[in-house]
Amino acid sequence: MNQLVERKSAGHQIVESLEAHGVKRVYVVPGESYLDVLDGLHGSSIDTIVCRHEGGAAYMAEADGKLGDLPGVAMVTRGPGAANAHVGLHTAWQDSTAMVLFVGLIPFEHREKEAFQEFDPKRWFASGAKRVMVLDHPARASEVVAEAMFSASSGRPGPVVVGLPEDVITELVDTPIHPTIPVALGGMTVDDWKSLRTALLESEKPLFVTGGNDWTVQSTEALTTWLEEHSLPAAAEWRTEGTVPFDSPSYVGPLGYGRPNFSADLLDETDLIVFVGTVPGDVITSGFTSRQNWNQRNFIVTIDPSLRGRSGPISHQIVAKPHSFVRDLVRMDLPEKDSWREWTQRLRAKQQTWSAAPSSTPTDGKATMETLMGNLVERLPEDAMVTFGAGEHTNWAHRYFPTRGYASMISARNGSMGYSVPSAVSAALNFPGRIVVTIAGDGEFLMNGQELATAAQYGATPLVIVMDNGEYGTIRTHQEAHYPGRISGTQLKNPDFAKFAESFGGVGIRVETDAEVPAAVERALETVQAGETFALIHLIVDQRQKAF
């Protein structure tokens, strides 16, 4: 006997389907094209976070996908709204982040008539999304949601776009809520297990490289324990530090852009690399220059058989998500080798020297990031988090921020600017009570600094550090390398960012001299720890100030 289902609009059923999947919040910029979905969110268990720009909403959803077990969800309107959200999709694609973007569309019967804000979502998004779907049949609303959540999470995680014609979502339906579609996790086969064990036993200088966003806290903790028990080292993919904690004796530093000098030859010195959750792409291999000898030994752990980095040799691929791989790995008992211990200790000593916090004692003269980081690091609690976007200012976090657990560093590995504030808002909403620090450059900050209004509206309390050197620093560095002495297109004149923060109801602190830094850091941390509002430190520094 079929169960009777209450008739409701397809838009309302979309909301109920998201609830059934466990979605806690959606990030939206409203539009008339999906009013019925907005109406369904009224009174639902899902928190609706109203953002000030579609790029900010998409970044927040992408950060949500990195921070939790479910895809992040954003909702925007057609045409210009969809165009503005595209930057978040590109971030999710290159970072392999599970994310679903719902886009309101023109009415079904208006298609191909050059209607107001008309565009073709499949042609727009096909090259930058795992899947693009359009809800053409209202009875399939719940099914489409389930398929979108599944597609975003299965295999290599990534972004999925769902188009919602405004007339279709108002149609009444009586179909039941579609169940969650299970995602395959993979795992080591007997052959995988034996091959990896043999390779490790034959290796004198093995190295694990962790990366990606498709982990669980439990799996990272289990991996760390196993590595430490066997005196094995682990490095982190660019901008994913914390999978193996900063303080672990097995953690030997980051790879990729901004890597420490001592790790430049690490990929070629090691005789075995096990990539888990990432692959030897161009960033890790310095533009396909390191680890290119086809006699070198690489194991790659990825759930996508076609995902291999297209760089250098692959000895063996294990088709598994990181947590299912770790589940099988920790059953592998290996004899601890003296060569492993010596190798790991040597690498670890270099990482500790490189990442030791700078002095907290101010110098005479202008404010410096060294003194700020020295004062910040010593005051941070164990579970502090850091977010950032793109630019040379991010290197201060790479080098010094103590990432002591999974998802304690959230960033955009596609080099996307404007990510710092939205990701900090998302992190603060996901983890109320934890200290969330974001380090932004002056150029990056104004790309989405308006999302401080979102932070204020929903009680998110991140600590925002704006390093103001009056230029697009990364591009200036490239410029000086290739066109020395010819500064062009990189210089900035900035407003008072502290007053900007105060205008949203936050605490803004302008810092011009190094002597002001300790008190500024203390006041900012006290503000966010009290949980009343966000704080922003506007740190005015000399140009060409770098972390290394």
Side-chain angles (χ1 to χ4, degrees):
M1 182 175 181
N2 293 330
Q3 183 180 1
L4 294 176
V5 178
E6 177 187 355
R7 286 173 63 81
K8 63 193 64 175
S9 69
H12 281 226
Q13 193 176 69
I14 287 170
V15 174
E16 288 193 14
S17 298
L18 291 173
E19 288 178 320
H21 278 77
V23 172
K24 295 180 180 179
R25 64 184 59 82
V26 297
Y27 299 93
V28 311
V29 175
E32 65 272 27
S33 59
Y34 69 101
L35 284 178
D36 196 75
V37 176
L38 290 172
D39 186 69
L41 287 167
H42 182 271
S44 79
S45 64
I46 299 174
D47 290 334
T48 304
I49 309 300
V50 182
C51 304
R52 300 309 179 99
H53 189 273
E54 291 88 356
Y59 277 146
M60 291 184 202
E62 195 275 346
D64 248 27
K66 287 187 168 93
L67 289 162
D69 299 328
L70 297 172
V73 179
M75 296 180 177
V76 301
T77 197
R78 60 204 178 196
N84 286 340
H86 208 302
V87 66
L89 285 179
H90 185 263
T91 304
W93 176 264
Q94 288 225 316
D95 285 22
S96 297
T97 307
M99 171 186 171
V100 178
L101 176 68
F102 291 92
V103 181
L105 299 178
I106 62 169
F108 186 91
E109 63 181 30
H110 291 182
R111 287 184 193 173
E112 299 183 12
K113 295 182 180 180
E114 294 191 38
F116 176 64
Q117 296 183 336
E118 181 178 7
F119 76 104
D120 185 334
K122 293 193 175 182
R123 292 181 65 187
W124 268 30
F125 295 121
S127 65
K130 288 186 68 179
R131 191 171 178 185
V132 182
M133 297 181 283
V134 175
L135 180 65
D136 285 343
H137 303 285
R140 297 187 64 188
S142 185
E143 175 193 349
V144 166
V145 172
E147 286 287 348
M149 297 293 282
F150 167 78
S151 297
S153 302
S154 64
R156 171 188 174 178
V160 172
V161 178
V162 179
L164 305 175
E166 66 175 275
D167 53 347
V168 174
I169 59 176
T170 61
E171 294 291 324
L172 296 179
V173 299
D174 57 6
T175 48
I177 298 298
H178 197 287
T180 301
I181 303 172
V183 171
L185 303 178
M188 278 201 273
T189 65
V190 173
D191 180 61
D192 293 333
W193 199 88
K194 289 181 177 178
S195 296
L196 179 57
R197 189 174 191 276
T198 298
L200 285 167
L201 290 174
E202 292 175 351
S203 171
E204 297 299 319
K205 294 180 177 181
L207 176 69
F208 281 71
V209 176
T210 64
N213 318 302
D214 207 14
W215 293 77
T216 63
V217 171
Q218 294 76 16
S219 63
T220 61
E221 291 174 348
L223 175 63
T224 300
T225 298
W226 186 86
L227 290 170
E228 291 176 356
E229 287 174 348
H230 295 88
S231 296
L232 288 167
E237 177 188 13
W238 187 53
R239 297 185 172 177
T240 65
E241 295 169 51
T243 303
V244 175
F246 182 89
D247 298 329
S248 169
S250 285
Y251 179 62
V252 299
L255 297 173
Y257 301 141
R259 73 176 68 190
N261 292 334
F262 69 83
S263 73
D265 300 321
L266 178 58
L267 293 187
D268 287 322
E269 184 180 358
T270 177
D271 57 11
L272 170 66
I273 298 184
V274 183
F275 294 91
V276 188
T278 186
V279 293
D282 66 315
V283 176
I284 287 180
T285 62
S286 300
F288 306 116
T289 59
S290 298
R291 203 69 182 174
Q292 300 301 297
N293 186 328
W294 287 86
N295 293 319
Q296 293 170 318
R297 211 169 198 181
N298 292 335
F299 275 61
I300 296 179
V301 181
T302 169
I303 191 65
D304 184 349
S306 67
L307 187 63
R308 54 187 174 83
R310 296 176 175 84
S311 172
I314 298 175
S315 309
H316 194 105
Q317 183 168 6
I318 298 171
V319 181
K321 285 185 176 281
H323 47 287
S324 56
F325 166 75
V326 171
R327 174 201 64 203
D328 299 336
L329 175 70
V330 297
R331 299 171 187 166
M332 186 183 295
D333 189 24
L334 299 169
E336 186 179 347
K337 298 171 67 171
D338 290 340
S339 60
W340 294 353
R341 186 184 305 107
E342 294 166 3
W343 162 244
T344 302
Q345 289 176 349
R346 175 163 68 86
L347 297 178
R348 175 64 182 165
K350 291 181 178 181
Q351 161 63 13
Q352 286 180 297
T353 299
W354 183 74
S355 63
S359 172
S360 60
T361 303
T363 59
D364 295 331
K366 207 164 185 178
T368 65
M369 279 296 292
E370 285 94 341
T371 303
L372 184 139
M373 293 304 293
N375 281 271
L376 177 67
V377 167
E378 67 182 17
R379 289 177 165 88
L380 290 173
E382 287 287 317
D383 63 351
M385 305 172 64
V386 66
T387 80
F388 48 82
E392 285 186 332
H393 59 277
T394 66
N395 289 333
W396 297 97
H398 284 306
R399 182 168 186 175
Y400 298 119
F401 199 93
T403 49
R404 296 190 173 99
Y406 175 60
S408 55
M409 178 180 283
I410 301 297
S411 184
R413 292 189 297 282
N414 68 333
S416 187
M417 298 177 72
Y419 187 82
S420 56
V421 173
S423 58
V425 173
S426 178
L429 291 175
N430 272 276
F431 298 101
R434 288 179 67 174
I435 297 299
V436 177
V437 178
T438 192
I439 300 177
D442 50 341
E444 185 209 5
F445 175 77
L446 277 184
M447 292 187 179
N448 269 309
Q450 77 283 346
E451 297 302 344
L452 290 178
T454 306
Q457 183 171 349
Y458 296 99
T461 59
L463 165 54
V464 181
I465 297 167
V466 182
M467 176 183 162
D468 180 357
N469 61 2
E471 64 180 358
Y472 287 116
T474 301
I475 308 308
R476 169 76 183 277
T477 294
H478 288 297
Q479 196 169 61
E480 291 292 350
H482 299 288
Y483 302 93
R486 296 177 60 81
I487 302 172
S488 175
T490 56
Q491 301 305 289
L492 301 171
K493 181 176 176 58
N494 290 315
D496 188 324
F497 293 122
K499 290 181 179 178
F500 182 78
E502 290 173 353
S503 73
F504 292 110
V507 170
I509 309 168
R510 182 180 174 92
V511 178
E512 298 188 35
T513 68
D514 224 31
E516 300 172 276
V517 169
V521 172
E522 185 173 6
R523 182 187 173 202
L525 283 172
E526 287 176 351
T527 298
V528 299
Q529 284 172 329
E532 296 175 359
T533 188
F534 66 87
L536 182 147
I537 298 176
H538 179 188
L539 193 78
I540 302 171
V541 303
D542 285 325
Q543 291 194 338
R544 307 287 77 214
Q545 186 178 140
K546 301 181 182 182
F548 47 87

